[in-house]
Amino acid sequence: MTTTEPEVYYDPYDFDIDTDPYPVWKRLRDERPLYYNERYDFFALSRFDDVERGLVDWKSYISSKGTVLELIKANIDMPSGSIIFEDPPTHDLHRGLLSRVFTPRRVNEIEPKMREFCARSLDPMVEEGGFDFIKDLGAQMPMRTIGMLLGIPEDDQEAIRDRIDEGLRLNDPSMPEAKYESFEAVNSEFSDYIEWRAEHPSDDLMTELLQAEFEDETGTSRQLTRAEVMNYVNLIAAAGNETTTRLIGWTGKLLAEHPDQRRQLVEDRGLIPNAIEEILRYEAPSPVQARYVAHDVEHHGQTVREGSIVLLLNSSANRDERKFEDPDRFDIRRKIGHHLAFGYGIHFCLGASLARLEGRIALDEVLKRFPSWEVDWENAVQARTSTVRGWERLPVTVR
């Protein structure tokens, strides 16, 4: 008697798949490199070369209708200033403006403060026999860093982060309803800070955004509107918190599962930068990017019609054996070249250097205090969202 494997099925909202999507993604790469989901009416590309081309070809795969499946389906007009939801020329203007205030110099200058945030979180845990990579570190350090960059008072940072988390959380394994009111609700969190900062300028990103002058797509020299500033601030706060929090969580999990490689990092901190790159490749915090198809495109002998939605599975691409040798093996010494954890092309994550720096500092500061740990799996909780993938709680015991 022979048995046949059921038809491969991929659903970005399915909690069982999300727990470990890699077997499904491998089947997609091998059997259905252009996959179609009838339930939610989307296509998916899973191989490295296809995903990379999709991320680069912004004329065919546009972002201005949203970069999350449920947002595109809702046909919401994306707010101006959210560069991940824009295409050229508007995207280039707004990204260029943000890059002027989000500079490598500013990022590098705050490294001492990042280490201070880590010390404040970790030092009390040394005598406790354990800590939570998310609650005690991953949810703290990125929030403090972004809050400091933006100029949001520390007393208010945690509440804002919690509301952002709640807005991303999936309550059941199905497509959530996307509403424009959700943008307005999040943006309103920042309106008071922006108005106060307009009257009390300081050395922070919010002040620089309020004061920056630029030439818009109509050729008009102007400053950003309050609504545009709010969208920028919302984007920085959400993206800067969520992806780095997930990166820190995956760092804790993967190095607990590979104690020999963790030991190498304890003995040689010079391996930390490449270790962070391998963690990003192996478990991308933002694993799926949605795009609207602007005109007919061809993939693997099939036509994807204008008006379709394509999911670019960048986390699957990072495990493609056509690009990476033995891709399911975690190796902090791997020669990676480049991965797609931060995207590619014009939408490459503007905060990538900040996330990398935070990841390196967090790992270094953990290793200073805790050279070994084990995950408390009974109390670990995986987060469920449609945009980022990682841990809501990751407690560890230390020896």
Side-chain angles (χ1 to χ4, degrees):
M1 179 179 177
T2 61
T3 60
T4 56
E5 198 168 10
E7 184 76 11
V8 61
Y9 176 75
Y10 171 64
D11 177 344
Y13 307 108
D14 187 298
F15 291 174
D16 290 334
I17 294 174
D18 184 59
T19 297
D20 181 11
Y22 296 102
V24 171
W25 286 343
K26 177 169 175 49
R27 288 194 63 193
L28 291 184
R29 294 194 301 269
D30 292 344
E31 303 170 26
R32 301 282 296 279
L34 176 66
Y35 171 78
Y36 177 68
N37 179 293
E38 292 185 2
R39 178 181 180 185
Y40 294 118
D41 186 25
F42 69 83
F43 291 87
L45 294 170
S46 50
R47 292 182 180 177
F48 187 96
D49 287 348
D50 291 334
V51 173
E52 184 181 58
R53 282 196 296 267
L55 291 170
V56 170
D57 185 3
W58 58 265
K59 293 182 178 179
S60 300
Y61 309 93
I62 65 174
S63 300
S64 53
K65 291 184 178 292
T67 59
V68 180
L69 178 58
E70 60 264 27
L71 288 181
I72 301 177
K73 289 286 187 182
N75 196 28
I76 295 172
D77 289 332
M78 295 295 110
S80 177
S82 294
I83 59 174
I84 60 173
F85 300 145
E86 293 180 335
D87 300 307
T90 307
H91 165 272
D92 297 347
L93 288 168
H94 288 159
R95 184 182 176 96
L97 181 60
L98 192 56
S99 67
R100 281 162 46 187
V101 301
F102 205 74
T103 62
R105 175 192 62 80
R106 182 181 288 277
V107 169
N108 290 328
E109 282 178 350
I110 64 173
E111 178 173 345
K113 293 294 292 183
M114 291 185 195
R115 292 192 181 275
E116 179 186 319
F117 297 147
C118 285
R120 188 192 310 175
S121 297
L122 294 173
D123 283 348
M125 303 294 140
V126 172
E127 302 300 326
E128 297 294 324
F131 68 101
D132 191 315
F133 262 90
I134 303 301
K135 180 173 68 72
D136 297 322
L137 181 60
Q140 297 297 322
M141 179 211 191
M143 173 190 66
R144 304 298 182 198
T145 300
I146 290 296
M148 181 184 64
L149 281 170
L150 288 173
I152 297 172
E154 266 201 34
D155 291 346
D156 298 336
Q157 292 169 6
E158 193 160 347
I160 289 175
R161 184 207 64 213
D162 289 345
R163 281 190 281 272
I164 291 172
D165 285 348
E166 183 59 34
L168 294 174
R169 185 174 291 115
L170 289 177
N171 296 314
D172 57 73
S174 61
M175 181 186 290
E177 183 179 3
K179 299 179 180 178
Y180 185 77
E181 288 79 6
S182 62
F183 287 106
E184 294 179 327
V186 174
N187 282 346
S188 67
E189 298 285 349
F190 302 107
S191 60
D192 290 342
Y193 302 120
I194 291 170
E195 291 304 323
W196 191 87
R197 187 57 73 198
E199 298 296 325
H200 304 84
S202 183
D203 182 23
D204 55 42
L205 292 182
M206 203 178 296
T207 299
E208 294 199 34
L209 288 170
L210 284 163
Q211 296 180 345
E213 295 186 1
F214 70 107
E215 187 175 291
D216 67 17
E217 61 272 22
T218 70
T220 303
S221 294
R222 66 179 181 88
Q223 293 180 310
L224 292 170
T225 66
R226 291 291 193 271
E228 288 172 328
V229 173
M230 278 195 289
N231 288 329
Y232 270 118
V233 170
N234 174 28
L235 174 67
I236 295 168
N241 271 304
E242 288 300 322
T243 53
T244 309
T245 297
R246 309 306 175 191
L247 169 60
I248 292 172
W250 287 121
T251 299
K253 176 184 182 290
L254 290 172
L255 293 179
E257 294 175 334
H258 299 85
D260 56 329
Q261 298 191 57
R262 183 180 59 203
R263 195 173 307 115
Q264 294 177 47
L265 291 167
V266 172
E267 295 170 355
D268 182 1
R269 302 302 174 81
L271 296 173
I272 287 178
N274 202 70
I276 293 298
E277 294 307 307
E278 175 68 346
I279 292 165
L280 287 163
R281 180 199 72 85
Y282 198 82
E283 292 286 11
S286 178
V288 179
Q289 317 304 318
R291 296 290 190 270
Y292 181 89
V293 179
H295 58 79
D296 290 1
V297 292
E298 298 288 329
H299 285 287
H300 302 282
Q302 299 180 58
T303 299
V304 178
R305 298 297 182 189
E306 176 185 347
S308 300
I309 300 173
V310 170
L311 300 190
L312 304 173
L313 308 182
N314 54 299
S315 201
S316 169
N318 283 346
R319 298 277 194 106
D320 187 353
E321 54 281 330
R322 297 159 189 80
K323 175 67 176 180
F324 301 102
E325 183 179 353
D326 195 8
D328 292 323
R329 176 175 56 85
F330 178 72
D331 181 6
I332 62 170
R333 294 178 181 269
R334 179 187 297 272
K335 294 181 180 178
I336 296 174
H338 81 271
H339 55 70
L340 302 178
F342 289 118
Y344 207 58
I346 66 169
H347 284 289
F348 181 80
C349 177
L350 194 60
S353 60
L354 177 62
R356 284 174 161 132
L357 180 60
E358 288 183 277
R360 294 195 296 265
I361 290 173
L363 177 53
D364 186 37
E365 294 296 323
V366 167
L367 292 174
K368 284 180 183 178
R369 297 162 176 83
F370 310 106
S372 66
W373 62 85
E374 294 180 356
V375 175
D376 173 10
W377 287 114
E378 288 188 4
N379 295 298
V381 178
Q382 191 166 347
R384 301 301 181 192
T385 83
S386 64
T387 56
V388 291
R389 182 170 173 270
W391 297 89
E392 188 172 307
R393 289 286 182 268
L394 194 76
V396 300
T397 56
V398 298
R399 296 191 301 271

